Coordinates of all heavy atoms in Angstrom, one line a residue:
M116 N 25.3 17.0 -8.7 CA 24.0 16.8 -9.2 C 23.0 16.6 -8.1 O 23.3 15.8 -7.2 CB 24.0 15.6 -10.2 CG 22.7 15.3 -10.8 SD 22.9 14.1 -12.1 CE 21.2 13.8 -12.5
E117 N 21.9 17.2 -8.1 CA 21.0 17.2 -7.0 C 20.0 16.0 -7.2 O 19.6 15.7 -8.3 CB 20.2 18.5 -7.0 CG 19.7 18.9 -5.6 CD 19.1 20.3 -5.6 OE1 19.8 21.2 -5.9 OE2 17.9 20.4 -5.4
T118 N 19.6 15.4 -6.1 CA 18.6 14.3 -6.1 C 17.3 14.9 -6.3 O 16.9 15.9 -5.7 CB 18.7 13.6 -4.8 OG1 20.0 13.1 -4.5 CG2 17.7 12.4 -4.8
P119 N 16.5 14.3 -7.3 CA 15.1 14.8 -7.5 C 14.3 14.7 -6.2 O 14.6 13.8 -5.4 CB 14.6 13.9 -8.6 CG 15.8 13.3 -9.2 CD 16.8 13.2 -8.1
P120 N 13.2 15.5 -6.1 CA 12.3 15.4 -4.9 C 11.7 14.0 -4.8 O 11.6 13.3 -5.8 CB 11.3 16.4 -5.2 CG 11.8 17.3 -6.3 CD 12.8 16.5 -7.0
W121 N 11.4 13.6 -3.6 CA 10.9 12.2 -3.4 C 9.6 11.9 -4.2 O 9.4 10.8 -4.6 CB 10.6 12.0 -1.9 CG 9.5 12.8 -1.3 CD1 9.6 14.0 -0.7 CD2 8.1 12.4 -1.2 NE1 8.4 14.4 -0.2 CE2 7.5 13.5 -0.6 CE3 7.4 11.3 -1.6 CZ2 6.1 13.4 -0.3 CZ3 6.1 11.3 -1.4 CH2 5.4 12.3 -0.7
R122 N 8.8 12.9 -4.4 CA 7.5 12.7 -5.2 C 7.9 12.3 -6.6 O 7.3 11.4 -7.2 CB 6.6 13.9 -5.1 CG 5.9 14.1 -3.8 CD 4.8 15.2 -3.9 NE 4.0 15.2 -2.7 CZ 4.1 16.1 -1.8 NH1 4.9 17.1 -1.9 NH2 3.3 16.0 -0.7
E123 N 8.8 13.0 -7.2 CA 9.2 12.7 -8.5 C 9.9 11.3 -8.6 O 9.6 10.5 -9.6 CB 10.2 13.7 -9.0 CG 10.6 13.6 -10.5 CD 11.5 14.7 -11.0 OE1 11.4 15.9 -10.5 OE2 12.4 14.4 -11.8
R124 N 10.7 11.0 -7.6 CA 11.4 9.6 -7.6 C 10.3 8.6 -7.5 O 10.4 7.5 -8.1 CB 12.4 9.6 -6.5 CG 13.6 10.5 -6.7 CD 14.7 10.2 -5.7 NE 14.3 9.8 -4.4 CZ 14.3 10.6 -3.3 NH1 14.7 11.9 -3.4 NH2 14.0 10.2 -2.1
L125 N 9.3 8.8 -6.6 CA 8.3 7.8 -6.4 C 7.5 7.6 -7.7 O 7.2 6.5 -8.1 CB 7.4 8.3 -5.3 CG 6.2 7.3 -4.9 CD1 6.8 6.0 -4.4 CD2 5.4 8.0 -3.8
R126 N 7.1 8.7 -8.4 CA 6.4 8.6 -9.6 C 7.2 7.8 -10.7 O 6.6 6.9 -11.4 CB 6.0 10.0 -10.1 CG 5.1 10.0 -11.3 CD 4.7 11.4 -11.8 NE 5.6 12.5 -11.4 CZ 5.4 13.4 -10.3 NH1 4.3 13.2 -9.6 NH2 6.2 14.4 -10.1
T127 N 8.5 8.1 -10.7 CA 9.3 7.4 -11.7 C 9.4 5.9 -11.4 O 9.3 5.1 -12.3 CB 10.8 8.0 -11.6 OG1 10.7 9.4 -12.0 CG2 11.7 7.3 -12.6
E128 N 9.5 5.6 -10.1 CA 9.6 4.1 -9.7 C 8.2 3.4 -10.0 O 8.2 2.3 -10.4 CB 10.0 4.0 -8.3 CG 11.4 4.5 -8.0 CD 12.5 3.8 -9.0 OE1 12.4 2.6 -9.3 OE2 13.4 4.5 -9.4
D129 N 7.1 4.1 -9.7 CA 5.8 3.6 -10.0 C 5.6 3.3 -11.5 O 5.1 2.2 -11.9 CB 4.7 4.5 -9.5 CG 4.5 4.4 -8.0 OD1 5.0 3.5 -7.3 OD2 3.9 5.4 -7.5
E130 N 6.1 4.2 -12.3 CA 6.0 4.0 -13.8 C 6.9 2.8 -14.2 O 6.4 2.0 -15.0 CB 6.5 5.2 -14.5 CG 5.5 6.4 -14.4 CD 6.1 7.7 -15.0 OE1 7.2 7.7 -15.5 OE2 5.4 8.7 -14.9
L131 N 8.0 2.6 -13.6 CA 8.9 1.5 -13.9 C 8.3 0.2 -13.5 O 8.3 -0.8 -14.2 CB 10.3 1.7 -13.2 CG 11.3 0.5 -13.4 CD1 11.6 0.3 -14.9 CD2 12.5 0.8 -12.6
L132 N 7.6 0.2 -12.3 CA 7.0 -1.0 -11.8 C 5.8 -1.4 -12.8 O 5.6 -2.6 -13.1 CB 6.4 -0.8 -10.4 CG 7.5 -0.9 -9.3 CD1 6.9 -0.5 -8.0 CD2 8.1 -2.2 -9.2
E133 N 5.1 -0.4 -13.3 CA 4.0 -0.7 -14.2 C 4.5 -1.3 -15.5 O 3.9 -2.3 -16.0 CB 3.2 0.6 -14.5 CG 2.3 1.0 -13.4 CD 1.5 2.3 -13.8 OE1 1.3 2.6 -15.0 OE2 1.2 3.0 -12.8
Q134 N 5.6 -0.8 -16.0 CA 6.2 -1.3 -17.2 C 6.7 -2.7 -17.0 O 6.5 -3.6 -17.9 CB 7.4 -0.4 -17.6 CG 7.0 0.9 -18.1 CD 8.2 1.8 -18.3 OE1 9.4 1.4 -18.2 NE2 8.0 3.1 -18.6
L135 N 7.3 -3.0 -15.9 CA 7.8 -4.3 -15.6 C 6.7 -5.3 -15.4 O 6.8 -6.5 -15.9 CB 8.7 -4.3 -14.3 CG 10.0 -3.6 -14.4 CD1 10.7 -3.5 -13.0 CD2 10.9 -4.3 -15.4
E136 N 5.6 -4.9 -14.8 CA 4.4 -5.8 -14.7 C 3.8 -6.1 -16.0 O 3.5 -7.3 -16.3 CB 3.4 -5.2 -13.7 CG 3.8 -5.2 -12.3 CD 2.8 -4.4 -11.4 OE1 1.8 -4.0 -11.9 OE2 3.2 -4.3 -10.2
A137 N 3.8 -5.2 -16.9 CA 3.3 -5.4 -18.3 C 4.2 -6.4 -19.0 O 3.7 -7.3 -19.7 CB 3.2 -4.1 -19.0
Q138 N 5.5 -6.2 -18.9 CA 6.5 -7.1 -19.5 C 6.4 -8.5 -18.9 O 6.5 -9.5 -19.7 CB 7.9 -6.6 -19.4 CG 8.2 -5.3 -20.2 CD 9.5 -4.8 -19.9 OE1 10.4 -5.3 -19.2 NE2 9.8 -3.7 -20.6
M139 N 6.2 -8.6 -17.6 CA 6.0 -10.0 -17.0 C 4.7 -10.7 -17.5 O 4.8 -11.9 -17.8 CB 5.9 -9.8 -15.5 CG 7.3 -9.6 -14.9 SD 7.3 -9.3 -13.1 CE 6.3 -10.7 -12.5
E140 N 3.7 -9.9 -17.7 CA 2.4 -10.5 -18.2 C 2.6 -11.0 -19.6 O 2.2 -12.1 -20.0 CB 1.3 -9.4 -18.2 CG 0.0 -9.9 -18.7 CD -0.7 -11.0 -17.8 OE1 -0.3 -11.1 -16.6 OE2 -1.6 -11.7 -18.3
Q141 N 3.3 -10.2 -20.5 CA 3.6 -10.6 -21.8 C 4.5 -11.9 -21.8 O 4.2 -12.8 -22.6 CB 4.3 -9.5 -22.6 CG 3.4 -8.3 -22.8 CD 4.1 -7.1 -23.3 OE1 5.3 -7.1 -23.5 NE2 3.4 -6.0 -23.6
A142 N 5.5 -11.9 -21.0 CA 6.3 -13.1 -20.9 C 5.6 -14.3 -20.4 O 5.8 -15.4 -21.0 CB 7.5 -12.8 -19.9
R143 N 4.7 -14.2 -19.5 CA 3.8 -15.3 -19.0 C 3.0 -15.8 -20.2 O 2.8 -17.1 -20.3 CB 2.9 -14.9 -17.9 CG 3.7 -14.7 -16.6 CD 2.7 -14.4 -15.5 NE 3.4 -14.1 -14.2 CZ 3.5 -12.9 -13.7 NH1 2.9 -11.9 -14.3 NH2 4.2 -12.7 -12.6
R144 N 2.4 -15.0 -21.0 CA 1.6 -15.4 -22.1 C 2.4 -16.1 -23.2 O 2.0 -17.1 -23.7 CB 0.9 -14.2 -22.7 CG -0.2 -13.7 -21.8 CD -1.1 -12.6 -22.5 NE -2.0 -12.1 -21.5 CZ -3.1 -12.7 -21.1 NH1 -3.4 -13.9 -21.5 NH2 -3.9 -12.1 -20.2
R145 N 3.6 -15.6 -23.5 CA 4.5 -16.2 -24.4 C 5.0 -17.6 -23.9 O 5.0 -18.6 -24.7 CB 5.7 -15.4 -24.7 CG 5.4 -14.1 -25.6 CD 6.7 -13.4 -26.0 NE 7.6 -13.1 -24.9 CZ 7.6 -11.9 -24.3 NH1 6.7 -11.0 -24.6 NH2 8.5 -11.7 -23.3
R146 N 5.3 -17.7 -22.6 CA 5.7 -18.9 -22.0 C 4.6 -20.0 -22.1 O 4.8 -21.1 -22.4 CB 6.1 -18.7 -20.6 CG 6.6 -19.9 -19.8 CD 7.0 -19.6 -18.4 NE 7.5 -20.7 -17.7 CZ 6.7 -21.6 -17.0 NH1 5.4 -21.4 -16.9 NH2 7.2 -22.6 -16.4
A147 N 3.3 -19.5 -21.8 CA 2.2 -20.4 -21.8 C 1.9 -20.9 -23.2 O 1.6 -22.1 -23.4 CB 1.0 -19.7 -21.3
T148 N 2.1 -20.1 -24.2 CA 2.0 -20.5 -25.6 C 3.0 -21.6 -25.9 O 2.7 -22.6 -26.6 CB 2.1 -19.3 -26.6 OG1 1.1 -18.4 -26.2 CG2 2.0 -19.7 -28.0
A149 N 4.2 -21.4 -25.5 CA 5.3 -22.3 -25.7 C 5.0 -23.7 -25.0 O 5.2 -24.7 -25.6 CB 6.6 -21.8 -25.3
L150 N 4.5 -23.6 -23.8 CA 4.1 -24.8 -23.0 C 3.0 -25.5 -23.8 O 3.0 -26.7 -23.9 CB 3.6 -24.4 -21.6 CG 4.7 -24.0 -20.6 CD1 4.0 -23.4 -19.4 CD2 5.6 -25.1 -20.3
K151 N 2.0 -24.8 -24.3 CA 0.9 -25.4 -25.0 C 1.4 -26.1 -26.3 O 1.0 -27.2 -26.6 CB -0.1 -24.3 -25.4 CG -1.4 -24.8 -26.1 CD -2.4 -23.7 -26.3 CE -3.7 -24.2 -26.8 NZ -4.7 -23.1 -26.9
E152 N 2.3 -25.5 -27.0 CA 2.9 -26.1 -28.2 C 3.7 -27.3 -27.8 O 3.7 -28.3 -28.5 CB 3.8 -25.1 -28.9 CG 3.0 -24.0 -29.6 CD 3.9 -22.9 -30.2 OE1 5.1 -23.0 -30.2 OE2 3.3 -21.9 -30.6
G153 N 4.4 -27.2 -26.7 CA 5.2 -28.4 -26.2 C 4.3 -29.6 -25.8 O 4.6 -30.7 -26.1
A154 N 3.2 -29.3 -25.2 CA 2.2 -30.3 -24.8 C 1.6 -31.0 -26.1 O 1.5 -32.2 -26.2 CB 1.1 -29.8 -24.0
Q155 N 1.4 -30.2 -27.1 CA 0.9 -30.7 -28.4 C 2.0 -31.6 -29.0 O 1.7 -32.7 -29.6 CB 0.5 -29.6 -29.3 CG -0.8 -28.9 -28.9 CD -1.1 -27.6 -29.6 OE1 -0.2 -27.1 -30.3 NE2 -2.3 -27.1 -29.5
D156 N 3.2 -31.1 -29.0 CA 4.3 -31.9 -29.6 C 4.6 -33.2 -28.9 O 4.8 -34.2 -29.6 CB 5.6 -31.0 -29.6 CG 6.7 -31.6 -30.3 OD1 6.5 -32.0 -31.5 OD2 7.9 -31.6 -29.8
L157 N 4.5 -33.2 -27.6 CA 4.8 -34.4 -26.8 C 3.6 -35.3 -26.6 O 3.7 -36.4 -26.1 CB 5.5 -34.0 -25.5 CG 6.8 -33.3 -25.6 CD1 7.4 -33.0 -24.2 CD2 7.8 -34.2 -26.3
G158 N 2.4 -34.8 -26.9 CA 1.2 -35.5 -26.8 C 0.3 -35.3 -25.6 O -0.8 -35.7 -25.6
S159 N 0.9 -34.7 -24.6 CA 0.0 -34.4 -23.4 C 0.7 -33.4 -22.5 O 2.0 -33.2 -22.5 CB -0.3 -35.7 -22.6 OG 0.9 -36.1 -22.0
V160 N 0.0 -32.8 -21.6 CA 0.5 -31.9 -20.6 C 1.4 -32.7 -19.7 O 2.4 -32.2 -19.2 CB -0.6 -31.1 -19.9 CG1 -0.1 -30.4 -18.7 CG2 -1.4 -30.2 -20.8
Y161 N 0.9 -33.9 -19.3 CA 1.7 -34.7 -18.4 C 3.1 -35.0 -19.0 O 4.1 -34.9 -18.2 CB 0.9 -36.0 -18.1 CG 1.7 -36.9 -17.2 CD1 1.7 -36.7 -15.8 CD2 2.4 -38.0 -17.7 CE1 2.5 -37.6 -15.0 CE2 3.1 -38.9 -16.9 CZ 3.1 -38.6 -15.5 OH 3.9 -39.5 -14.7
A162 N 3.2 -35.4 -20.2 CA 4.5 -35.7 -20.8 C 5.4 -34.5 -20.8 O 6.6 -34.6 -20.6 CB 4.3 -36.3 -22.2
L163 N 4.8 -33.3 -21.1 CA 5.6 -32.1 -21.1 C 6.1 -31.8 -19.7 O 7.3 -31.5 -19.5 CB 4.7 -30.9 -21.6 CG 5.4 -29.6 -21.5 CD1 6.6 -29.5 -22.4 CD2 4.4 -28.5 -21.9
A164 N 5.2 -31.9 -18.8 CA 5.6 -31.6 -17.4 C 6.7 -32.5 -16.9 O 7.7 -32.1 -16.3 CB 4.4 -31.7 -16.5
K165 N 6.6 -33.8 -17.3 CA 7.6 -34.8 -16.9 C 8.9 -34.5 -17.5 O 10.0 -34.5 -16.9 CB 7.1 -36.2 -17.3 CG 8.0 -37.3 -16.8 CD 7.5 -38.7 -17.1 CE 8.4 -39.7 -16.6 NZ 7.9 -41.1 -16.9
A166 N 8.9 -34.1 -18.8 CA 10.1 -33.7 -19.5 C 10.8 -32.5 -18.9 O 12.0 -32.4 -19.0 CB 9.8 -33.5 -21.0
L167 N 10.0 -31.6 -18.4 CA 10.5 -30.3 -17.9 C 10.8 -30.4 -16.4 O 11.4 -29.5 -15.8 CB 9.5 -29.2 -18.1 CG 9.3 -28.8 -19.6 CD1 8.2 -27.8 -19.7 CD2 10.6 -28.3 -20.2
G168 N 10.4 -31.5 -15.7 CA 10.6 -31.6 -14.3 C 9.6 -30.7 -13.5 O 10.0 -30.3 -12.4
L169 N 8.5 -30.5 -14.1 CA 7.5 -29.6 -13.4 C 6.2 -30.5 -13.1 O 6.1 -31.5 -13.6 CB 7.1 -28.5 -14.3 CG 8.2 -27.5 -14.7 CD1 7.6 -26.6 -15.8 CD2 8.7 -26.7 -13.6
S170 N 5.4 -29.9 -12.2 CA 4.2 -30.6 -11.9 C 3.2 -30.4 -13.1 O 3.1 -29.3 -13.6 CB 3.5 -30.2 -10.6 OG 2.9 -28.9 -10.7
W171 N 2.4 -31.4 -13.4 CA 1.5 -31.3 -14.5 C 0.4 -30.3 -14.2 O -0.1 -29.6 -15.1 CB 0.9 -32.6 -15.0 CG -0.1 -33.2 -14.0 CD1 0.1 -34.0 -13.0 CD2 -1.5 -32.9 -14.0 NE1 -1.0 -34.3 -12.3 CE2 -2.1 -33.7 -13.0 CE3 -2.3 -32.2 -14.8 CZ2 -3.4 -33.6 -12.7 CZ3 -3.7 -32.1 -14.6 CH2 -4.2 -32.9 -13.5
T172 N 0.1 -30.1 -12.9 CA -1.0 -29.2 -12.6 C -0.5 -27.7 -12.8 O -1.2 -26.9 -13.3 CB -1.5 -29.3 -11.1 OG1 -0.3 -29.3 -10.3 CG2 -2.2 -30.6 -11.0
A173 N 0.8 -27.5 -12.5 CA 1.3 -26.1 -12.7 C 1.4 -25.8 -14.2 O 1.0 -24.7 -14.6 CB 2.7 -26.0 -12.1
V174 N 1.8 -26.8 -15.0 CA 1.8 -26.6 -16.5 C 0.4 -26.4 -17.0 O 0.2 -25.4 -17.8 CB 2.5 -27.8 -17.2 CG1 2.4 -27.7 -18.7 CG2 4.0 -27.9 -16.7
A175 N -0.5 -27.2 -16.6 CA -1.9 -27.1 -17.1 C -2.5 -25.7 -16.7 O -3.2 -25.1 -17.5 CB -2.8 -28.2 -16.6
H176 N -2.2 -25.3 -15.4 CA -2.7 -24.1 -15.0 C -2.2 -22.9 -15.8 O -2.9 -22.0 -16.1 CB -2.4 -23.9 -13.5 CG -2.8 -22.6 -12.9 ND1 -4.2 -22.3 -12.6 CD2 -2.1 -21.5 -12.6 CE1 -4.2 -21.1 -12.1 NE2 -3.0 -20.6 -12.1
A177 N -0.9 -22.9 -16.0 CA -0.3 -21.8 -16.8 C -0.9 -21.7 -18.2 O -1.2 -20.7 -18.7 CB 1.2 -22.0 -16.9
I178 N -1.0 -22.9 -18.8 CA -1.6 -22.9 -20.2 C -3.0 -22.4 -20.2 O -3.4 -21.5 -21.0 CB -1.6 -24.3 -20.7 CG1 -0.1 -24.8 -21.0 CG2 -2.4 -24.4 -22.0 CD1 0.0 -26.2 -21.4
K179 N -3.8 -22.8 -19.2 CA -5.2 -22.4 -19.1 C -5.3 -20.9 -18.8 O -6.1 -20.2 -19.5 CB -6.0 -23.2 -18.1 CG -7.4 -22.8 -18.0 CD -8.1 -23.7 -17.0 CE -9.6 -23.3 -16.9 NZ -10.3 -24.1 -15.9
K180 N -4.5 -20.4 -17.9 CA -4.6 -19.1 -17.4 C -4.1 -18.1 -18.4 O -4.7 -17.0 -18.6 CB -3.9 -18.9 -16.1 CG -4.0 -17.5 -15.5 CD -3.4 -17.4 -14.1 CE -3.6 -16.0 -13.6 NZ -3.1 -15.9 -12.2
Y181 N -3.1 -18.4 -19.1 CA -2.4 -17.4 -20.0 C -2.6 -17.6 -21.5 O -2.1 -16.8 -22.3 CB -0.9 -17.3 -19.7 CG -0.7 -16.8 -18.3 CD1 -0.3 -17.6 -17.2 CD2 -0.9 -15.4 -18.0 CE1 -0.1 -17.1 -15.9 CE2 -0.7 -14.9 -16.7 CZ -0.3 -15.8 -15.7 OH -0.1 -15.3 -14.4
T182 N -3.3 -18.6 -21.9 CA -3.6 -18.7 -23.3 C -5.1 -18.6 -23.7 O -5.4 -18.6 -24.8 CB -3.1 -20.1 -23.9 OG1 -3.8 -21.2 -23.2 CG2 -1.6 -20.3 -23.7
T183 N -5.9 -18.4 -22.7 CA -7.3 -18.1 -22.9 C -7.6 -16.6 -22.8 O -7.0 -16.0 -22.0 CB -8.2 -18.9 -22.0 OG1 -7.9 -18.5 -20.6 CG2 -8.1 -20.4 -22.1
T184 N -8.4 -16.1 -23.7 CA -8.7 -14.7 -23.6 C -10.0 -14.5 -22.7 O -10.9 -15.2 -22.8 CB -8.9 -14.1 -25.0 OG1 -9.9 -14.9 -25.7 CG2 -7.7 -14.1 -25.8
A185 N -9.9 -13.5 -21.9 CA -11.0 -13.2 -21.0 C -11.9 -12.1 -21.6 O -11.5 -11.3 -22.3 CB -10.5 -12.8 -19.7

């Protein structure tokens, strides 16, 4: 089996990277929604961050960045 030309391989890989980036963006939004729900359940972003072992600023930033529509 012959290897496809480099241009075709490059185009294929670029398409894959675009798909992966879109999937990562969707995952970040779903994660942020879960974080937001967790903060509501536990009473605060600080309580959620403490329960998860994360910094509250990172949690707050993720919630703000990925749950607001631009």
Side-chain angles (χ1 to χ4, degrees):
M116 184 171 174
E117 209 173 296
T118 303
W121 67 269
R122 285 188 172 109
E123 185 178 327
R124 293 191 326 258
L125 183 61
R126 185 174 27 260
T127 300
E128 295 306 323
D129 284 345
E130 289 172 2
L131 178 59
L132 286 171
E133 286 180 26
Q134 292 170 6
L135 291 171
E136 287 173 6
Q138 290 176 3
M139 285 176 50
E140 181 69 18
Q141 292 168 357
R143 286 184 186 108
R144 291 188 184 285
R145 290 190 304 268
R146 180 179 183 270
T148 299
L150 288 171
K151 187 174 185 178
E152 291 172 8
Q155 291 169 345
D156 186 48
L157 296 178
S159 70
V160 170
Y161 178 78
L163 174 63
K165 186 175 180 181
L167 296 175
L169 300 171
S170 74
W171 73 269
T172 54
V174 172
H176 177 73
I178 291 170
K179 182 178 180 181
K180 183 172 183 178
Y181 294 106
T182 61
T183 57
T184 55

